[in-house]
C-alpha cells in the first residue's frame, strides 16, 4: 500500500494521539496543557500558538473520536465517523511547502484551533485508508494486556501487535516457555 509522506505523518500522529488515552491503570498521557505542548512539539504540528485548557479539551475530544474509528466494526461505520470528524473541523485544503518540507496538503483552515488542526489532517489521513478499502489496517494490539492502536502497514496485513519488540516478543517468549514446560512435564 503506497501512502504519501504527509498522510503517513498524519497517521502516525493519529495513532500516537489515540495511544495517549489512559488504558486500564495507566495515566492519561495528555492530561494537561504542558503534555499537549509536548505532543505538538513531538509531532512538529505547525502554526500552533499559545495553548489553553480549552485546546486540551478539544484535542482530548478528537482523540476519543479517532479511537472510535479504530473501534469501528466496518468501513461504513468508520467512514461515517471520519466524515463527522472532518466536517466538524471545517476543512479547508491548501497546498503548502513550509519549514523545509516539500509540497504537501494541509486540510485545516487558517487560524484553526489545534484540535481542529489535528482533526482535519488526521481525519483526512484516516479517510485515505478507508477510501483505499484498507479500514481493517486500523487495529488494536492483540496482546492481552495492551490494546494500543496501530496501523498495520505490512504487505499481507498480518501484524497483530503494536510493537514486535515489546508485545510481540513478550508473547512469543511466553508461548515458547509454555511449550518447553509442557514438553518437559
Amino acid at each position: 500500500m503506497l501512502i504519501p509522506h504527509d498522510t503517513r505523518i498524519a497517521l502516525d500522529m493519529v495513532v500516537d494521539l489515540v495511544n495517549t488515552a489512559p488504558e486500564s491503570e495507566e495515566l492519561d498521557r495528555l492530561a494537561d496543557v504542558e503534555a499537549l505542548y509536548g505532543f505538538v512539539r513531538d509531532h512538529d504540528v505547525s502554526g500552533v500558538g499559545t495553548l489553553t485548557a480549552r485546546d486540551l479539551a478539544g484535542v482530548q475530544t478528537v482523540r476519543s473520536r479517532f479511537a472510535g474509528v479504530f473501534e469501528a466494526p466496518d468501513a461504513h461505520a468508520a467512514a461515517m465517523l471520519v466524515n463527522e470528524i472532518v466536517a466538524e473541523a471545517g476543512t479547508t485544503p491548501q497546498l503548502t511547502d513550509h519549514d523545509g518540507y516539500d509540497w504537501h496538503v494541509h486540510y485545516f483552515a487558517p487560524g484553526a484551533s489545534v484540535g481542529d488542526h489535528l482533526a482535519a489532517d488526521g481525519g483526512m489521513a484516516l479517510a485515505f485508508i478507508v477510501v483505499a478499502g484498507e479500514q481493517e489496517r486500523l487495529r488494536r494490539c492483540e496482546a492481552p494486556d495492551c490494546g494500543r492502536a496501530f496501523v498495520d502497514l505490512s504487505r499481507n496485513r498480518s501484524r497483530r501487535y503494536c510493537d514486535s519488540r515489546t508485545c510481540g516478543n513478550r508473547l512469543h517468549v511466553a508461548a515458547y516457555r509454555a511449550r518447553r514446560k509442557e514438553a518437559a512435564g
Side-chain angles (χ1 to χ4, degrees):
M1 173 175 201
L2 182 62
I3 298 176
H5 177 71
D6 55 331
T7 301
R8 177 60 194 259
I9 288 172
L11 285 171
D12 289 344
M13 176 277 301
V14 167
V15 166
D16 289 348
L17 181 59
V18 169
N19 288 334
T20 64
E23 301 252 346
S24 61
E25 294 150 23
E26 279 184 32
L27 297 175
D28 188 338
R29 292 191 323 268
L30 198 60
D32 56 33
V33 173
E34 193 62 36
L36 180 57
Y37 272 114
F39 184 86
V40 165
R41 181 189 62 248
D42 291 348
H43 290 278
D44 203 19
V45 179
S46 61
V48 175
T50 303
L51 298 172
T52 66
R54 184 178 181 166
D55 291 310
L56 177 62
V59 171
Q60 288 171 332
T61 298
V62 169
R63 173 180 70 185
S64 174
R65 310 243 358 246
F66 283 161
V69 177
F70 280 81
E71 306 301 324
D74 56 38
H76 186 12
M80 288 180 54
L81 291 169
V82 169
N83 284 341
E84 290 172 8
I85 293 166
V86 170
E88 289 174 13
T91 56
T92 308
Q94 51 190 310
L95 289 168
T96 183
D97 67 340
H98 62 88
D99 299 332
Y101 294 104
D102 203 1
W103 288 105
H104 60 283
V105 180
H106 281 185
Y107 294 97
F108 56 92
S113 70
V114 69
D116 285 345
H117 179 143
L118 298 179
D121 278 354
M124 291 305 299
L126 291 169
F128 177 82
I129 296 295
V130 174
V131 165
E134 303 287 353
Q135 183 261 338
E136 72 276 359
R137 290 183 182 271
L138 304 176
R139 298 199 176 151
R140 292 289 188 158
C141 184
E142 292 181 18
D145 58 343
C146 186
R148 292 172 52 89
F150 68 94
V151 179
D152 178 3
L153 296 177
S154 66
R155 181 176 291 174
N156 62 357
R157 297 177 188 92
S158 63
R159 189 170 156 197
R160 297 175 50 208
Y161 307 111
C162 63
D163 187 347
S164 60
R165 293 170 303 202
T166 55
C167 291
N169 280 347
R170 185 171 38 83
L171 290 172
H172 286 107
V173 167
Y176 171 76
R177 288 180 179 158
R179 286 192 305 272
R180 291 212 28 169
K181 184 177 180 179
E182 184 179 312

